[in-house]
Amino acid sequence: MSFFSPPGLLLCLPAFSASVSLCPSYSLRQMRRFRRHGHESQRDRLKQELFHFNKTVEHGFPHQPSALGYSPSLQLLAIGNRSGAIKLYGAPGVEFMGLHDENAAVTQVHFLPHQVELVTLLDDNSLHMWTLRAHKGLSELLEIGRFMLTGPPGAPPSVTRVTAVLAHSSGELLLLGTEGGHVFVVEVPGFRELEERNISLDQVSNSVPDDYIGRRNLEHVEALQENPVNPNQVVIGYGRGLMIIWDLEKQRAIQHIPATQQLESVWWTEDGSYILSSHSDGSYCRWMVGAEDVNEEEEKSDIPYGHFPCKAISKIVQLPTEKGPPFLLFSGGMPRASYGDRHCITVIQNKTQVALDLTSRIIDFFVIRDGPKHTDPSALVVLVEEELVVIDLQTEGWPVIQTPYLVPLHSSAITCSHHISTIPIKLWERVIAAGELQNTHYSKKPWPITGGQNLAPDPPQRDLLLTGHEDGTVCFWDASGVCLYPMYKLSTAAVFHTDADPNDNMNQGTEGEWPPFRKVGCFDPYSDDPRLGIQKIHLCKYSGYLTVAGTAGQILVLELNDEAAEQTVEAKVVDLLQGQEGFRWKGHTRLDVREEPVLFPPGFQPFALVQCQPPAVVTALTLHSEWKLVAFGTSHGFGLYDYQQKNNVLIKCTLNPSDQLAMEGPLSRVKSIKKSLRQSFRRMRRSRYSVPYTQIQDANARLEAELAEMELAPVQRKIEARSSDDSFTGLVRTLYFADTFLSDSSHNTPSLWAGTNGGCVFAFMLRLPPVEHRADEPVTAQPAKEIQLMHRAPVVGIVVLDGHGAPLPEPLEVAHDLARSPDLQGSHHLLVISEEQFKVFTLPKVSAKMKLKLTAVDGSRVRRVGVAWFGSSRSEDYGESGLVVLTNQGDLHVVSLPGVKMQVQYPCIRREDVSGIASCVFTKHGQGFYLISPSEFERFSLSTRHVVEPRCLVEVPLHSDNSTKHRPLHDGFSSAHGCVPSVCLSQLLQEIQKSLEGDQT
């Protein structure tokens, strides 16, 4: 039988074989997918090498401090605040922070003597034990226990409400005085109550003569103090005035001191022979320990600032000196009627007496002791609500020691910030030199708090953070490391006539004045003229030129000068309205410029001034020091100023005629209220009426918030496209200089770009004369491009990318060999960042190429944007440029350049924290700062390579010689209760932790 094969079947065989050959093709698709996934995993690994979000350190002064503690053996300072945070500070760079789980204020902080543990008391009556545990060669602050006193069933809460805490010198006991008058003895660090050692109110009452108990209730335990020469004895001070010396070993009272005035504090003198008590009537008394008759209170009583009624002396300290009379220090005691609003600490030694007049309410103070036997008082450390003040007690005149950290950033309210990375050493040294000339009134003594070791490497570069303030000052801060150190302070007020009263200095002491006041501290929230407020700053680190712009439309150009100079600053008025009809400005007037020459100290000195008309707040500012040009913008338009020839180059009005808010200036009402309130407060201070300081602060804060919201915050918009009739559409949000292609693709030219609140981008071509004729021939500008974004969202950033996709370098950066020259051969791209999207256009045709939409269902808006370089953590040679973005949700994004793709996203700031989002500033190396309170910057890092964070070690201190006197009490309690010394326990905990880590490994 023959087999017949039709042609079709024969043709199918190749087809079949072809279909078989598709199997390798399927494998190829798999390979591509694997390759793509492999590329994605490689990309993920690359992201891990480049990006990592971490909040690293808090700079500034803790907001609302409520408690102060100090460990002489560790030389560490502790501050607790009302939000439940506890912060420890030692030598510069040694910082720790802990946060209680409970949202309650820290009311007391006590270090256990000669140990690395401390105890905090919160206002919810809970006690917490913290330790500095060593981990991988660094110390970390950890909470290791919590405790709350429990009274007998049915007992009122006052029985166990803790009012006084004594950390006993044995390091094993806490004595807790309560509102009910009882004293509880608790073993630490285990927080075990030793009931048989408790001191009940009945025991105390039975030891006091009946005639004293019969006429008054003892009230709460106000103070607990240990006898410095006999740790078995403590003095218990009760609110009504009675003081009992109690023997802990014999468990009985050995002396009672029947004071009759309300008790505020007690102090046991160094030799153990006297007890000092301070009282609510402004008096203090000295009582002899062991005396037979202690009823002659009048003979021992002293009212330092009597005879009129005085405020309470809240704390008193007396310390001996090696060769001279002792120091007596106390807080309060001022005459109630005349100086009841003053916050004072009085220092008396021999015949010298000074009332240190501080800037806000005193929280607490302590004295650091120095000398061969650590007995001589060397420094007084005072914590007040708004700053930390340290007084040198060993130098004549008792000058202030400048603080390397905890500096009050908000001495005047912060209004803007500007960060500059990698400062050249020459500029750095000149700024430092100018700052040192301002600090001649400070003590030459080194910082006295020196605990711990700073193990952080030296900063790889010098960074500056500039903060603008409401009083017209600009502060320069060393932001290279963990400590935000003050370098130099620039004041712009001298250029103008202000509302300041030259005689308005309430704290200026006069010869023979009583009390002998001396003002200390730098916190001053009162601005003499809010129009001075700094709104924008731009510093060129290569040329030393600085420009600052203010609330009343003033733009100052300054140059760094190492010598003092007397000069006149002439104002150049710029009319941004350009003849707009029907405009009526109801806002504040412009500042009056001084016509006479002004002597400017060494540092940044103004030589040019531009005054915008109308004098609205400056909303955008940029400086090009190579071209000698400054661009500025307000809600009415923008201008370009040649500060070499002191001429206006360009004026462009962007005002929409229908924009009533910008035309009528509705801010005047708020500002006039604010100004009148300030003047009223100053009058009240001058007349010395007692005004609650917190009320003044709250009123100022509310008005500041309202003003900032009305002036700077754009009107909330919907996600969809919006009408051009919206308010503030002409407000200039961003200005940018670029040397790029505007007319054709073969000739690059200088240009100025401006973005507005209405989604409009203006580009102007600039013609600069040759260098040899720069001083004579004018700079000209002509319109080149105009882009209107369809969705009309505000333009918050403009960046030009060169042919390699890299952002253009800063002015003079290439000339200083700190950046490569931009690629001028390939085509450039324009990146326009609006609140809702990132859009890339080609240049010079300005045709849309790609875009990335940010807006989603959550309604995100871009609030801050900056270009940063992210270096790899593994390879020194690799890095990428990226766009760092902060949204109104508080999220941080990194967008790739030039591809405009989302790289990473991290939550950073609470979306409700509008002021924190508005204050954010980025660095050029992937870090950033934002205000977490009026006085504190939170620092964060998005980079794996550039991270600034505390790295420090605190070791367990060795017992000093005089601590051996504590052994009898320690041995007695150890034998009775099996108590382990907590120094040993701390070491034991560290050993256990190390062994556990070894097991995990």
Side-chain angles (χ1 to χ4, degrees):
M1 180 179 171
S2 64
F3 180 73
F4 177 74
S5 299
L9 182 60
L10 292 173
L11 289 173
C12 282
L13 290 175
F16 178 72
S17 65
S19 66
V20 173
S21 70
L22 285 177
C23 292
S25 175
Y26 180 70
S27 300
L28 184 62
R29 280 202 302 272
Q30 283 184 323
M31 288 171 63
R32 285 174 179 164
R33 187 161 64 245
F34 294 153
R35 194 181 305 152
R36 184 169 66 248
H37 288 175
H39 179 71
E40 288 174 358
S41 62
Q42 182 183 358
R43 185 67 202 166
D44 289 339
R45 286 196 300 272
L46 192 59
K47 285 181 182 179
Q48 291 174 3
E49 292 178 18
L50 295 175
F51 311 114
H52 177 69
F53 176 71
N54 191 20
K55 292 183 180 180
T56 55
V57 65
E58 294 178 1
H59 298 298
F61 183 78
H63 187 48
Q64 295 180 327
S66 54
L68 176 68
Y70 179 68
S71 169
S73 58
L74 295 177
Q75 292 192 307
L76 289 180
L77 164 80
I79 296 177
N81 69 7
R82 291 188 215 169
S83 61
I86 176 78
K87 298 185 178 183
L88 272 58
Y89 301 90
V94 176
E95 297 185 12
F96 301 94
M97 178 181 171
L99 189 64
H100 295 86
D101 293 336
E102 298 79 1
N103 188 16
V106 181
T107 56
Q108 295 187 44
V109 180
H110 299 274
F111 283 89
L112 300 187
H114 306 288
Q115 298 173 43
V116 290
E117 281 81 34
L118 65 150
V119 174
T120 54
L121 173 66
L122 306 188
D123 65 358
D124 65 357
N125 206 41
S126 61
L127 286 155
H128 301 256
M129 177 72 72
W130 299 80
T131 188
L132 287 166
R133 188 193 68 175
H135 178 62
K136 295 182 178 179
L138 299 175
S139 296
E140 52 188 6
L141 183 62
L142 295 175
E143 183 178 354
I144 57 171
R146 60 186 64 189
F147 173 72
M148 190 172 286
L149 277 176
T150 55
S158 62
V159 171
T160 54
R161 181 78 185 173
V162 178
T163 55
V165 178
L166 171 62
H168 195 270
S169 59
S170 66
E172 302 170 2
L173 301 176
L174 284 181
L175 275 66
L176 308 176
T178 66
E179 201 173 276
H182 306 281
V183 176
F184 293 83
V185 181
V186 175
E187 188 181 80
V188 287
F191 280 134
R192 183 166 68 93
E193 184 183 339
L194 306 177
E195 296 183 11
E196 65 278 9
R197 298 282 173 177
N198 290 344
I199 307 166
S200 69
L201 192 59
D202 292 338
Q203 289 175 284
V204 172
S205 301
N206 293 335
S207 65
V208 179
D210 293 337
D211 60 337
Y212 189 91
I213 291 294
R215 66 182 190 213
R216 62 180 60 219
N217 177 20
L218 296 182
E219 285 194 355
H220 62 281
V221 177
E222 181 66 50
L224 290 166
Q225 277 277 326
E226 181 181 337
N227 188 338
V229 297
N230 185 355
N232 288 319
Q233 295 178 3
V234 295
V235 61
I236 307 169
Y238 291 91
R240 283 295 180 96
L242 175 71
M243 288 167 280
I244 295 288
I245 298 179
W246 189 268
D247 191 302
L248 292 173
E249 195 172 26
K250 299 175 182 176
Q251 295 192 355
R252 65 180 180 86
I254 57 176
Q255 184 178 344
H256 74 278
I257 303 172
T260 55
Q261 285 293 337
Q262 187 81 15
L263 185 69
E264 294 290 327
S265 75
V266 298
W267 180 262
W268 212 319
T269 58
E270 195 78 6
D271 57 4
S273 58
Y274 288 95
I275 287 175
L276 273 65
S277 61
S278 68
H279 301 276
S280 61
D281 63 345
S283 68
Y284 71 89
C285 305
R286 184 185 301 272
W287 312 90
M288 182 177 288
V289 176
E292 294 292 330
D293 185 10
V294 292
N295 293 317
E296 299 176 6
E297 180 186 347
E298 289 74 13
E299 294 181 9
K300 307 176 185 67
S301 180
D302 185 12
I303 304 178
Y305 295 111
H307 304 281
F308 296 103
C310 294
K311 298 190 75 174
I313 293 179
S314 57
K315 182 174 181 177
I316 190 164
V317 171
Q318 179 179 304
L319 295 170
T321 58
E322 277 291 312
K323 299 177 181 179
F327 272 89
L328 181 68
L329 307 96
F330 59 85
S331 57
M334 287 293 113
R336 189 176 294 276
S338 303
Y339 304 107
D341 59 339
R342 300 290 184 98
H343 312 285
C344 294
I345 288 183
T346 299
V347 184
I348 304 173
Q349 189 198 24
N350 204 2
K351 295 181 180 180
T352 305
Q353 178 170 341
V354 171
L356 301 173
D357 189 5
L358 294 137
T359 57
S360 50
R361 185 175 66 87
I362 297 168
I363 305 297
D364 201 356
F365 70 91
F366 63 85
V367 178
I368 297 175
R369 306 169 73 177
D370 205 351
K373 298 181 180 179
H374 296 281
T375 54
D376 280 356
S378 64
L380 166 65
V381 181
V382 187
L383 176 67
V384 298
E385 272 193 333
E386 304 294 349
E387 61 184 316
L388 184 82
V389 178
V390 181
I391 307 292
D392 177 4
L393 296 177
Q394 293 185 336
T395 302
E396 186 178 355
W398 298 335
V400 173
I401 300 175
Q402 188 174 19
T403 57
Y405 46 74
L406 290 171
V407 183
L409 309 177
H410 64 316
S411 294
S412 175
I414 294 175
T415 47
C416 66
S417 304
H418 178 61
H419 187 274
I420 312 101
S421 300
T422 323
I423 304 294
I425 184 64
K426 187 175 181 180
L427 176 66
W428 188 263
E429 291 175 345
R430 293 176 70 191
V431 171
I432 288 176
E436 286 176 347
L437 293 174
Q438 298 176 333
N439 297 332
T440 54
H441 60 286
Y442 284 116
S443 168
K444 303 301 182 185
K445 285 287 182 68
W447 181 242
I449 301 171
T450 58
Q453 303 172 46
N454 179 14
L455 302 180
D458 291 334
Q461 59 195 33
R462 294 170 295 275
D463 289 355
L464 273 177
L465 179 67
L466 275 58
T467 53
H469 298 265
E470 190 190 36
D471 62 355
T473 58
V474 178
C475 292
F476 288 62
W477 307 90
D478 178 357
S480 313
V482 170
C483 296
L484 197 64
Y485 186 76
M487 296 175 64
Y488 165 73
K489 186 175 183 179
L490 163 70
S491 176
T492 63
V495 180
F496 307 99
H497 290 285
T498 65
D499 297 338
D501 180 1
N503 299 317
D504 185 14
N505 189 351
M506 278 71 70
N507 298 294
Q508 192 170 13
T510 57
E511 193 70 29
E513 181 187 12
W514 188 260
F517 288 119
R518 182 183 137 209
K519 180 176 172 58
V520 292
C522 60
F523 176 72
D524 184 9
Y526 300 96
S527 171
D528 293 313
D529 194 331
R531 295 176 297 172
L532 289 167
I534 305 297
Q535 298 295 340
K536 296 291 175 184
I537 305 170
H538 194 118
L539 171 66
C540 175
K541 61 187 177 183
Y542 305 111
S543 65
Y545 284 110
L546 169 71
T547 180
V548 297
T551 303
Q554 72 272 26
I555 298 102
L556 278 167
V557 188
L558 307 98
E559 187 175 17
L560 187 56
N561 191 347
D562 299 328
E563 304 292 335
E566 189 174 21
Q567 57 196 39
T568 304
V569 183
E570 296 180 7
K572 193 78 173 180
V573 178
V574 176
D575 183 10
L576 291 174
L577 293 177
Q578 294 287 285
Q580 278 272 0
E581 295 292 332
F583 183 87
R584 194 159 57 97
W585 172 254
K586 290 184 178 179
H588 47 256
T589 59
R590 73 187 197 193
L591 287 159
D592 296 325
V593 182
R594 294 185 184 273
E595 297 178 356
E596 67 277 10
V598 178
L599 180 63
F600 295 104
F604 284 94
Q605 299 169 350
F607 65 90
L609 169 62
V610 180
Q611 177 61 60
C612 296
Q613 197 65 24
V617 60
V618 177
T619 57
L621 182 71
T622 189
L623 166 76
H624 201 296
S625 52
E626 192 172 359
W627 301 341
K628 303 291 194 297
L629 298 175
V630 169
F632 52 88
T634 72
S635 54
H636 306 110
F638 60 92
L640 182 62
Y641 178 73
D642 177 357
Y643 61 81
Q644 182 172 1
Q645 298 186 19
K646 298 185 179 179
N647 283 328
N648 295 326
V649 177
L650 164 68
I651 302 171
K652 171 70 176 176
C653 179
T654 56
L655 183 68
N656 189 326
S658 64
D659 193 344
Q660 294 300 314
L661 285 180
M663 288 181 69
E664 296 184 4
L667 312 175
S668 56
R669 198 173 301 113
V670 174
K671 289 205 169 184
S672 62
I673 294 172
K674 184 171 154 188
K675 183 177 176 181
S676 63
L677 271 176
R678 280 200 178 91
Q679 291 172 342
S680 300
F681 293 149
R682 283 200 294 270
R683 281 195 296 271
M684 287 176 182
R685 292 204 303 175
R686 279 197 292 267
S687 60
R688 292 174 178 165
Y689 286 118
S690 179
V691 181
Y693 186 73
T694 52
Q695 293 181 15
I696 298 175
Q697 267 195 317
D698 292 344
N700 260 345
R702 284 197 302 271
L703 286 167
E704 288 289 351
E706 291 175 14
L707 180 63
E709 183 180 353
M710 294 184 69
E711 277 194 328
L712 300 177
V715 179
Q716 292 297 315
R717 289 165 296 279
K718 298 178 182 178
I719 293 176
E720 63 267 12
R722 52 196 62 82
S723 167
S724 61
D725 295 335
D726 286 350
S727 297
F728 285 115
T729 54
L731 186 144
V732 179
R733 291 287 288 272
T734 185
L735 292 161
Y736 180 73
F737 285 113
D739 188 356
T740 186
F741 302 99
L742 270 183
S743 55
D744 57 64
S745 56
S746 56
H747 297 91
N748 57 297
T749 178
S751 62
L752 172 67
W753 301 77
T756 71
N757 224 31
C760 194
V761 178
F762 299 96
F764 284 79
M765 190 183 302
L766 308 178
R767 194 196 73 81
L768 298 170
V771 177
E772 60 271 16
H773 299 294
R774 178 64 182 84
D776 307 319
E777 296 182 12
V779 178
T780 59
Q782 63 182 49
K785 307 287 182 185
E786 185 173 334
I787 307 169
Q788 177 62 62
L789 300 180
M790 292 182 63
H791 59 303
R792 298 186 183 277
V795 178
V796 296
I798 296 172
V799 179
V800 171
L801 307 173
D802 69 6
H804 294 303
L808 296 184
E810 294 180 16
L812 295 174
E813 194 173 16
V814 175
H816 285 76
D817 295 326
L818 294 171
R820 70 178 186 183
S821 299
D823 179 28
L824 298 176
Q825 303 301 319
S827 59
H828 283 194
H829 291 92
L830 172 71
L831 172 59
V832 177
I833 304 113
S834 74
E835 284 196 347
E836 297 178 7
Q837 69 178 15
F838 310 88
K839 198 163 187 177
V840 178
F841 299 88
T842 60
L843 288 176
K845 292 184 178 180
V846 192
S847 57
K849 183 178 180 181
M850 66 181 84
K851 66 181 176 182
L852 172 66
K853 287 189 176 182
L854 179 74
T855 302
V857 290
D858 60 356
S860 289
R861 297 280 188 275
V862 176
R863 283 288 181 260
R864 286 286 183 272
V865 66
V867 176
W869 174 259
F870 293 93
S872 170
S873 59
R874 296 188 180 181
S875 171
E876 286 289 330
D877 301 328
Y878 183 74
E880 291 183 5
S881 285
L883 206 62
V884 186
V885 179
L886 176 69
T887 72
N888 62 340
Q889 308 294 315
D891 294 332
L892 287 167
H893 301 261
V894 178
V895 179
S896 65
L897 293 175
V900 195
K901 293 181 180 179
M902 283 291 182
Q903 299 283 76
V904 288
Q905 175 183 352
Y906 304 103
C908 180
I909 310 174
R910 290 182 302 107
R911 66 191 336 181
E912 299 83 13
D913 187 3
V914 179
S915 61
I917 293 172
S919 65
C920 185
V921 58
F922 297 122
T923 78
K924 297 291 185 184
H925 294 93
Q927 298 184 69
F929 303 80
Y930 68 93
L931 288 172
I932 52 173
S933 74
S935 59
E936 293 171 286
F937 274 112
E938 176 84 71
R939 187 178 191 135
F940 61 85
S941 174
L942 289 161
S943 169
T944 55
R945 186 185 293 182
H946 290 88
V947 181
V948 174
E949 60 185 351
R951 296 176 61 83
C952 32
L953 177 65
V954 175
E955 296 179 343
V956 179
L958 297 174
H959 276 262
S960 58
D961 294 337
N962 57 4
S963 67
T964 55
K965 64 187 179 185
H966 302 156
R967 291 301 95 203
L969 180 68
H970 165 76
D971 293 341
F973 273 92
S974 294
S975 59
H977 306 288
C979 180
V980 180
S982 53
V983 173
C984 301
L985 184 64
S986 172
Q987 294 170 338
L988 184 62
L989 285 171
Q990 293 177 16
E991 293 299 325
I992 293 172
Q993 178 67 25
K994 288 178 182 177
S995 64
L996 287 174
E997 289 172 0
D999 292 342
Q1000 290 174 357
T1001 306

